[in-house]
Amino acid sequence: MAIVDVTVIPIGTEGPSVSKYVADVQKILDSYTDRISYRLTPMSTLIEGDIKDLLEVVQAIHEAPFQAGIDRVATNIRIDDRRDKKVKMDDKLDSVKKHLT
C-alpha cells in the first residue's frame, strides 16, 4: 500500500482560481474508487492504493487540465511506499495521535 500526495497545477488559466480544474481531478478520482481511496485537502490530494494503480491515476489526473484546454501543466508528486507493513492514511494519523495523549 502506498500513499501519494499530488498537486496538479494548470498554468495559463484565465485567472488565479483553479477550483474548476481541481473539481475535474476529483471527478476522475471518483471513477477509480474501486481501486484507490483519496482525500482532498486545501493544498493537495492524498491518494492511497497499490503503486501501479496510483501511477495510473496520477497520469490520468495530470492529463485533465490538458483535456480542458490548458497548454501547460505542472504536477508535483510525493510518494510514501512502505512495504514492511500495510499502512493507510488514517493509520499514520493515529500513530501520531498516540504520542499526543
Side-chain angles (χ1 to χ4, degrees):
M1 172 87 51
I3 301 171
V4 170
D5 179 10
V6 61
T7 305
V8 178
I9 306 160
I11 299 170
T13 61
E14 298 156 359
S17 177
V18 294
S19 59
K20 70 179 182 179
Y21 301 100
V22 173
D24 289 343
V25 164
Q26 300 307 298
K27 290 174 189 173
I28 292 167
L29 291 169
D30 280 342
S31 72
Y32 282 92
T33 55
D34 60 325
R35 295 168 27 199
I36 58 102
S37 59
Y38 72 92
R39 183 175 301 155
L40 175 64
T41 77
M43 297 295 294
S44 66
T45 301
L46 301 172
I47 313 167
E48 68 182 7
D50 181 86
I51 191 67
K52 291 178 185 175
D53 293 330
L54 295 177
L55 293 174
E56 179 183 326
V57 169
V58 167
Q59 181 177 4
I61 64 175
H62 174 77
E63 290 293 327
F66 291 116
Q67 299 298 321
I70 296 298
D71 291 325
R72 185 175 180 191
V73 177
T75 298
N76 296 325
I77 306 164
R78 186 170 47 161
I79 301 171
D80 181 357
D81 187 4
R82 185 165 181 175
R83 301 207 175 163
D84 62 323
K85 66 180 185 176
K86 195 173 190 175
V87 179
K88 293 188 170 198
M89 290 184 274
D90 289 334
D91 298 332
K92 293 178 74 155
L93 293 174
D94 291 341
S95 181
V96 172
K97 288 176 185 176
K98 283 188 236 177
H99 297 283
L100 295 173
T101 56

